[in-house]
Structures are given as structure tokens and as C-alpha cells.
Amino acid sequence: MIQTARIALSRPLRRLFDYQIPPGVELEPGQRVRVPFGRQSLVGLVVETGVEPPANITLRQITEALEPWPALPPETRQLMQWAAAYYQHPLGECLFMSLPPALRRGRPAEATEEPAWQARRASTDDDLPAQAHRQKALLSWLRAQPEPTSQSTIQAAGYSLDQIRNLERRQLIEKTAQKAQAAAPVEKLPPLTPAQNIAFSELPSPAKGFSAALLYGITGSGKTEIYLHYLERYLEPDQQALVLVPEINLTPQTVSRFTRYFGDRIRVWHSALNDSERLQTWLRIRRGDPVIVIGTRSAVTLPFTALGAIVVDEEHDTSFKQGEGFRYSGRDLAVYRAHLNQCPVLLGSATPSIESYQNTTSGKYTLVRLEERVGDARPPALRLQDIRSRPLEGGLSNRTIQAIRERINRKEQVLVFVNRRGFAPVMMCFDCGHISECPRCDSRLTYHRRDRALRCHHCDYQTAAPVTCPECASEAYSPVGQGTERTEDVLQATFPETPVIRVDRDSTRTRGSIDRILNTVNSGAPCILVGTQMLAKGHDFPNVSLVVVVNADGGLFSVDFRAPEQLIQTLLQVSGRAGRGRIPGAVLIQTCHSDHPLLNQLCTGDYLAMAEHILSERRAVQLPPFRAMALLRAEAATMEESLAFLDEAKSRLQGQDLEIWGPLPAVIARRADRHRAQLVLVSDQKGPLQRHLSALCLHLDDRKKPASLKWQIDVDPLETG
Ligand code: ADP
Ligand code: ZN
Ligand code: ZN
């Protein structure tokens, strides 16, 4: 009797592969194996053993098991199997996501301690050739380090492996076992405030098994403090915990806040780790070490074996959803993972997602409110500033400039928020109305003032901005609309004595630049911060007393049904940066629609009332979260091909209990010369939708289609359009 196993490979194929198990070898699900595949040898993961061998086919044999234990423990496997089915992504690719890159490539599952280096006692430059400048620099750099320094840190500081080896050959430096981090004394947590205590007592305890709580805590109410207390109170010494945070919030400040109280139990997980760091952390988690992992969305796929609690901070943040390929939601997987482990999950936010809020009204989640700021800080006062037919300079009205001046004169700090989702600056001809468009996309080119370039934000096209109108050669050709650069220039010209600091993707590209900016701001001296979405998130600016929103209107009239929700979340988050210290904060929102109900409701600051309002609108039109939604997206060399493909898919789905909208061209119908269209599928129930989608995927995989055509399924899409 031959033994067989069903194996997943890291391939974009919606199928598994059967192999024979070599005689005398025992395998269990989750184990890594090596298998022959065509003429290659690949790493595979056992999904099942003892499968019925197909008649008349001789199965090939598994070459070897890579280790005698399952790399993926049962709950991790179940989670990824569920995710593969739910998001319609090939199982092999999903399972392999739970492995660190080294193990995907078939490396042994053991940590090779990274070597650390230190200068030898008696080493001097004299032993180096005069022209060996870099080696000299490295030697003196190493001498200045208080302790042995890991190879990757040395390389990150700009030195090469060759330079390290040369110094070793000359016996100027030596390899040491990396000194274990001196266990820093672990501090005691500050006591909770009375308001925090009440909220804390309402959180479900792990004794209840699975539970999900939505912690609605206004900005500055101290949600992190609650997470820390929750872990301290409930996490057993031998248990693991997962804290998911948006990428942009995973700063050294956040990590050190946790490390102060949990010391060496804290591990981080994010995209900037190198392969050896990933392997080491992965192994610790897999071994069951009682770590607390602070990580970005992919940390939910890690092989925890003793999970005691999960926290998702800023649970509304759209970065928890992957935007390409395997389009999973890290937050939703976290809730499912908690369910698998029968442990609690805390979702925290000052602006909860409509989905999570709905789950509290339906009784699935417990709603816990924390509506007081810590200490003397008060929530800021929000005011609308109508800018209809008022002269603007750099997007700012006279009255706004006046308000900024008052704050600066009082030696306070101001934050100016430019909502990029609204308007970006373009070059326009005031004679013929010509606006430059991207030749490859249906999109306008954005004007970048610093280098006088026109760039497309949907592909990588760029060109020098012409001096006169390319259409009619008029000289009345100049930028219109808002951009951070232009606002920055106007502010700097108006306030020449005050530092104006721009915070956007361009100004924070280099490592450590955001820390430098934060240091300046934390010094407390008056300054004006100008920035985009990046400024809205997470940071604590205790001396900012005024927040200006340059234009709020972008999200009010969008085709995307989620735009109003995202607009108020962004505006409340950015407002929350004001008045965190002793100075009461104010928020000025410039708008052309000061009578809009949503903006007026925003000024009350009562987010849950707004959420209730949005929820009732969604109920009225039966949109998510009241029904399940998925998109089938297609792109091809021509729009006809995309639409024809979607039409055929639609005809297959018709007659089933689905509502189908489209196919329609996407809002940006052409991007990088690809023509994009979509079909929206809506269903009363998630289950039937999932079954229809699975059948559809199998059909679409097999169907003949134009070579240029690519398609994708997006379940629970965050953007429709
Ligand atoms: P949130 O994430 O809810 O906006 P934070 O957790 O960042 O708020 O807390 C805001 C500030 O209040 C932080 O500087 C934090 O250290 C401080 N803080 C929160 N809770 C307490 C407490 N119980 N005692 C002292 N300081 C606290
Ligand atoms: Zn013109
Ligand atoms: Zn383009």
C-alpha cells in the first residue's frame, strides 16, 4: 500500500499536487518537503496525507522532508486555508506567505546567529595602507561603538562586507558572539486614569474564550495605555500576543513604549526586516517563545502556537488591506485568528470602520467607549471656514492666515493639512483652458514646483513643464489647485521668521527623516507643519494648537461609496493632532460647502453619531456592511477586450442569487496604457458569494483569453471605481 500526500507549491495555480511518500517516512500536514516538479526540485508544504491515489497514474515520490516537524502549526494552516478560500487566492501562495523568505527557498529552519564585530584592543590605523580610507573609517567607527556591532548594522551604516573582511585579515577587528542585549530594567505601567479604568473594566476577559471588542477611544484618550494594561493583566507568562499597527505607526517611539514594560518579550515584524532577522523572529514564534509581536498586516500570518490575545490598533486604517495580489484584510484575518485560538481581540480606533461599528450594533462585538482625553487636554473645537469666492493664496484664505499668525505670535505650533485626495496642482492655460494630461493614463499630470516637472501619479510618466501653453502658445499658462509645495512656499513667504516644515512622501523618503522632523516639533519652538495624509496618523504633537484643513471637499462628492467615511476619518484623525498638550486646540476646516450636513455633524466631534448616519444611508441602499461585495477587475490592451471578458463572466453568473453591476470602465479607465474595467457583485450572504466566486475563478482560469488580459478578484473591496 503506497502512502500519498497532497502538496501545496508556491505557484499561482489554483490546485495542489499529489506525491508518494517514500517508504518509512512519516509526514504530517504543515511539514516542508522537497519534491520533483517537471525538471525542477521545489519546496512544498504538506496539506493532507493519505489521499486516495488516482488510478492509472504513477505518482512521483517526495524527495525528502526538510525537518521532522510541521513548519506551519494547525491554526496557522487553518487561517491561511480559510483566507485562500475567502479571498479567492491560490492556496499554495497563501500558505507560503506564512514562511519567512529563507524557508520558502528551502534553507534549514535554524537561526544562524548573525556575526558581530568589534575592534581589537591594540588596533591602530598605522597598520593600514594610506589609501584605505574606507577601512580606516570603518575601524574608527567600530572603535567608537560601545559594544560589538552586528554585520547588518555595519552594512546599514554604509560599509561593505569586503571592508569588514579586509580588516579581519589584518587582524584589526574580530568576530564575537553577539552580546545578548543587556536586559533593560522593565518599568511599571503608569496607573490608568479613572475614565480609562472604566473602559478597561468593560473589556471582555480572556476567560470567555473568543471575544471581540471595539475600543472607541477619541484621539489622545490613551488607547495604547489600555492595550498595555490589558496585556499585563491577562497575558500569561507562557503566552504570545500579536499587536497589529498600520505601517506608518510602527515607529521606534511606538516600539519603545512597549519595550519599556515588556522588555525582551517584544519583537517587531515589518517589511524592512532582512531575511535573517525574519528567520530568527519566525523561529522564536514557531518555538512558542512567549513573545509579544508588534507588526504590520502580514504579522497576522505568523506561526503563533500559544496566542493569548490580539490587538489591532487604528483598526479603520485602510493599509490593513493589501492592495495587490492576495487582497486580504489583516484586521479581518486577526479576528478570524482570535476565533480559531479562542482568545480575545481588541480593535481600537478614534474613528472605527463602519464595518466594525456595525458589528457592535448587531451584538457581535462589544463596544467600549473612552471619550475623555488624558490629563488637562481637551478635544479641539472644530470650525468650518467658507472659502466660496474668497481670494486664496496657496490655498489659504486671509482669515486662515490671520488665525495662523495669532498662534505663531503666541509661540505655538500650527499644522496645515493638504488633503491630496481632493485636488492636486495642475498646469492650466487661462486662454484656451488646456490642462496637461498623461499620454498613457486618463489622468491629469501633477505639477511639481521644485523641479518644474509634470508627473503622472498613476504611472511613472514625467516631463518638463512647458513655459507656454502647448495648445495655443499663450503665456497665461500657470499652476492651479493645491499642493503641499505651493502652500509651503506661501507660508514661508508670509512667515519668514518661522520654520515651515513639509511632511509628505518626498520629504520623508530617507531613513530617519521623520525622526528628525519629530525632534524639531518636540522641541516645542513655534513652527508650521505642512503635509498630507502622513500627518494625520498616530503622531503626538503636544505643542500644536491649531490645525488647518486646506480643503475638505474632495471626499464629499466622490463616486466611491466609502469616500464620506474616509473623509471624516481623515479629518477627525488630523484634528486629533491639535491640543494634545495644555494649550486648547482649534481646527479650521476650509470648505466651499459649509452647509453640507456631514461637515456640520463633523463639528460636533461625535464620530459615533456620524457612523450611525452613514450606516443608515448604507442600509437604505443595501451596500456593505449590509450586503457582501466583490469586484472582478480586468485590464487589457483595449477596452473592448476588458469589457468582453467581463460580459462573458457576467453571463456565467446570471440567474444566480447575485446582483451584478456593470461591466463599467474604471474611473481611471486607462492607466499606463492598460484599459481597466470592473464588474461589481453583490450578495445578501457571504457564503453564496464565495461559492459563486470559486466556481467563476475555475472557469476563468481555463478560459481562452487575449494574451494581454489580466483579471483579479477583490473581496470586500475598499475602493470601487
Ligand atoms: P491615543 O492613541 O488614544 O490617541 P495615546 O495612547 O497616544 O492616545 O496617549 C496619549 C498621551 O497620553 C500619551 O502621551 C500617553 O503617554 C499619555 N497617557 C495615556 N494614558 C496615560 C495614563 N494613564 N497616565 C499617564 N499618561 C498617560
Ligand atoms: Zn492655451
Ligand atoms: Zn500616467
Side-chain angles (χ1 to χ4, degrees):
M1 177 63 187
I2 54 164
Q3 301 294 318
T4 56
R6 192 153 283 173
I7 306 293
L9 299 174
S10 179
R11 293 280 144 134
L13 298 171
R14 247 174 270 274
R15 56 164 296 196
L16 302 171
F17 299 87
D18 291 347
Y19 285 89
Q20 257 188 63
I21 301 177
V25 173
E26 299 242 345
L27 286 178
E28 59 178 304
Q31 259 182 276
R32 279 199 311 157
V33 292
R34 192 168 277 289
V35 294
F37 187 77
R39 308 166 84 184
Q40 296 170 286
S41 163
L42 298 181
V43 177
L45 282 164
V46 178
V47 173
E48 249 186 288
T49 57
V51 291
E52 187 77 24
N56 323 326
I57 295 180
T58 323
L59 294 180
R60 298 179 81 177
Q61 201 169 64
I62 289 170
T63 316
E64 59 175 341
L66 288 174
E67 54 267 322
W69 42 272
L72 300 189
E75 292 92 351
T76 305
R77 231 172 50 233
Q78 282 173 48
L79 177 75
M80 300 319 285
Q81 284 182 323
W82 179 83
Y86 186 80
Y87 294 104
Q88 307 297 333
H89 198 76
L91 178 59
E93 290 194 335
C94 293
L95 290 172
F96 271 79
M97 222 190 119
S98 289
L99 294 178
L103 298 194
R104 292 177 204 164
R105 290 197 302 267
R107 295 287 182 69
E110 56 200 39
T112 42
E113 275 296 320
E114 200 190 358
W117 298 91
Q118 64 185 5
R120 283 177 184 256
R121 279 263 171 71
S123 61
T124 66
D125 290 4
D126 303 347
D127 304 320
L128 283 167
Q131 72 280 15
H133 299 297
R134 291 302 290 164
Q135 290 180 46
K136 282 184 185 170
L138 171 54
L139 184 60
S140 66
W141 186 84
L142 272 176
R143 270 209 230 102
Q145 303 301 313
E147 44 192 52
T149 310
S150 75
Q151 197 153 296
S152 56
T153 309
I154 299 175
Q155 286 173 307
Y159 301 98
S160 71
L161 203 52
D162 269 352
Q163 288 153 1
I164 298 174
R165 293 219 181 94
N166 277 329
L167 288 180
E168 184 191 22
R169 228 184 17 249
R170 293 176 202 274
Q171 304 201 341
L172 295 170
I173 64 173
E174 61 193 350
K175 209 184 264 191
T176 63
Q178 204 168 343
K179 207 166 74 183
Q181 294 232 323
V186 172
E187 292 174 30
K188 267 179 73 96
L189 285 172
L192 293 175
T193 64
Q196 288 171 337
N197 248 320
I198 293 171
F200 184 84
S201 68
E202 292 170 5
L203 293 171
S205 89
K208 294 172 69 179
F210 169 75
S211 63
L214 177 63
L215 174 61
Y216 163 63
I218 62 168
T219 53
S221 61
K223 291 180 287 296
T224 310
E225 235 63 35
I226 301 237
Y227 308 147
L228 290 165
H229 275 261
Y230 194 85
L231 296 177
E232 186 197 53
R233 163 88 177 272
Y234 292 121
L235 200 66
E236 303 287 345
D238 59 352
Q239 279 184 321
Q240 302 172 322
L242 169 64
V243 180
L244 284 187
V245 297
E247 184 95 41
I248 202 162
N249 286 15
L250 191 48
T251 59
Q253 290 91 321
T254 316
V255 177
S256 76
R257 235 170 126 182
F258 278 83
T259 312
R260 283 226 297 278
Y261 310 110
F262 294 103
D264 203 27
R265 261 179 108 168
I266 302 298
R267 298 278 120 181
V268 293
W269 187 266
H270 53 79
S271 56
L273 297 182
N274 66 33
D275 285 1
S276 108
E277 290 165 327
R278 276 168 198 263
L279 179 60
Q280 280 186 37
T281 299
W282 187 93
L283 285 168
R284 282 193 68 166
I285 296 167
R286 177 65 190 89
R287 275 203 309 260
D289 288 2
V291 290
I292 297 172
V293 176
I294 307 180
T296 52
R297 68 174 175 245
S298 69
V300 75
T301 67
L302 288 168
F304 297 98
T305 57
L307 207 50
I310 301 179
V311 171
V312 183
D313 190 27
E314 309 290 356
E315 66 88 32
H316 67 281
D317 199 281
T318 50
S319 76
F320 284 125
K321 175 113 159 110
Q322 179 141 305
E324 274 306 320
F326 176 29
R327 293 168 168 262
Y328 68 102
S329 154
R331 176 197 65 207
D332 294 353
L333 286 195
V335 175
Y336 190 72
R337 178 79 219 233
H339 181 76
L340 284 173
N341 279 75
Q342 289 298 301
C343 76
V345 54
L346 297 190
L347 307 172
S349 175
T351 53
S353 63
I354 295 298
E355 274 70 16
S356 297
Y357 177 64
Q358 157 65 5
N359 281 328
T360 67
T361 64
S362 73
K364 272 201 213 158
Y365 298 177
T366 310
L367 177 64
V368 176
R369 295 160 169 250
L370 179 56
E371 293 173 277
E372 256 177 49
R373 282 192 161 183
V374 174
D376 300 331
R378 292 281 149 269
L382 279 71
R383 222 173 61 219
L384 300 179
Q385 178 97 274
D386 203 304
I387 51 170
R388 252 174 301 193
S389 54
R390 277 180 208 277
L392 300 179
E393 224 197 321
L396 302 168
S397 77
N398 272 334
R399 280 160 69 191
T400 305
I401 297 267
Q402 201 47 45
I404 297 175
R405 175 163 292 126
E406 271 170 36
R407 299 289 169 162
I408 296 299
N409 288 346
R410 286 198 302 219
K411 303 263 173 282
E412 295 166 15
Q413 298 178 341
V414 177
L415 188 160
V416 176
F417 174 69
V418 183
N419 196 8
R420 262 283 169 71
R421 296 209 177 112
F423 302 88
V426 295
M427 290 290 282
M428 189 175 95
C429 172
F430 287 82
D431 279 333
C432 76
H434 170 84
I435 292 176
S436 295
E437 293 187 344
C438 175
R440 310 175 59 208
C441 306
D442 290 337
S443 136
R444 291 169 170 178
L445 294 172
T446 303
Y447 176 63
H448 288 248
R449 194 175 174 82
R450 291 279 172 282
D451 47 4
R452 286 198 55 86
L454 291 172
R455 293 201 175 86
C456 174
H457 285 193
H458 302 284
C459 72
D460 54 8
Y461 179 84
Q462 62 170 311
T463 181
V467 184
T468 56
C469 172
E471 201 66 31
C472 73
S474 160
E475 283 177 8
Y477 183 65
S478 63
V480 291
Q482 267 335 298
T484 41
E485 291 180 346
R486 184 149 159 64
T487 308
E488 180 194 3
D489 287 351
V490 168
L491 285 167
Q492 193 62 83
T494 316
F495 301 100
E497 313 282 296
T498 310
V500 176
I501 306 167
R502 181 161 53 98
V503 185
D504 58 18
R505 217 158 266 141
D506 296 333
S507 75
T508 54
R509 209 173 293 265
T510 57
R511 242 172 186 243
S513 49
I514 188 83
D515 287 327
R516 271 197 300 280
I517 290 171
L518 291 178
N519 285 342
T520 314
V521 178
N522 290 337
S523 75
C527 66
I528 303 174
L529 290 160
V530 184
T532 51
Q533 256 64 15
M534 285 190 81
L535 275 180
K537 305 208 176 173
H539 300 298
D540 213 358
F541 301 124
N543 300 304
V544 167
S545 65
L546 174 68
V547 169
V548 172
V549 176
V550 172
N551 197 318
D553 301 342
L556 288 178
F557 307 100
S558 167
V559 292
D560 193 329
F561 75 89
R562 286 185 204 271
E565 172 188 355
Q566 286 166 1
L567 175 71
I568 58 172
Q569 285 170 343
T570 303
L571 294 186
L572 275 184
Q573 292 285 346
V574 76
S575 304
R577 304 307 119 207
R580 292 194 148 217
R582 296 189 171 276
I583 315 160
V587 181
L588 265 188
I589 300 172
Q590 297 195 142
T591 173
C592 294
H593 300 275
S594 57
D595 44 2
H596 197 286
L598 197 60
L599 289 182
N600 282 285
Q601 212 174 14
L602 184 75
C603 291
T604 66
D606 185 353
Y607 179 80
L608 292 191
M610 283 179 270
E612 194 62 56
H613 182 84
I614 290 177
L615 207 52
S616 66
E617 287 181 351
R618 299 265 190 95
R619 185 185 289 115
V621 290
Q622 287 291 295
L623 279 169
F626 296 98
R627 287 200 294 173
M629 183 184 275
L631 292 188
L632 173 60
R633 292 196 172 93
E635 54 169 70
T638 66
M639 184 53 82
E640 289 68 37
E641 285 172 327
S642 291
L643 290 174
F645 174 84
L646 294 176
D647 267 326
E648 203 266 352
K650 180 176 182 173
S651 65
R652 286 217 38 115
L653 291 167
Q654 225 120 41
Q656 288 161 323
D657 45 358
L658 281 179
E659 201 172 304
I660 307 173
W661 307 337
L664 274 178
V667 170
I668 296 180
R670 191 172 51 117
R671 180 185 280 181
D673 273 336
R674 309 269 299 156
H675 294 260
R676 308 153 72 235
Q678 62 184 28
L679 201 60
V680 182
L681 312 175
V682 191
S683 164
D684 289 346
Q685 301 282 327
K686 292 199 165 187
L689 179 63
Q690 195 180 323
R691 281 193 296 282
H692 295 320
L693 289 175
S694 304
L696 180 68
C697 286
L698 289 176
H699 166 74
L700 295 179
D701 277 343
D702 288 344
R703 222 195 89 173
K704 265 184 87 74
K705 38 192 169 285
S708 75
L709 190 133
K710 288 211 170 65
W711 60 275
Q712 268 193 343
I713 298 249
D714 188 354
V715 178
D716 302 336
L718 284 191
E719 291 162 70
T720 53

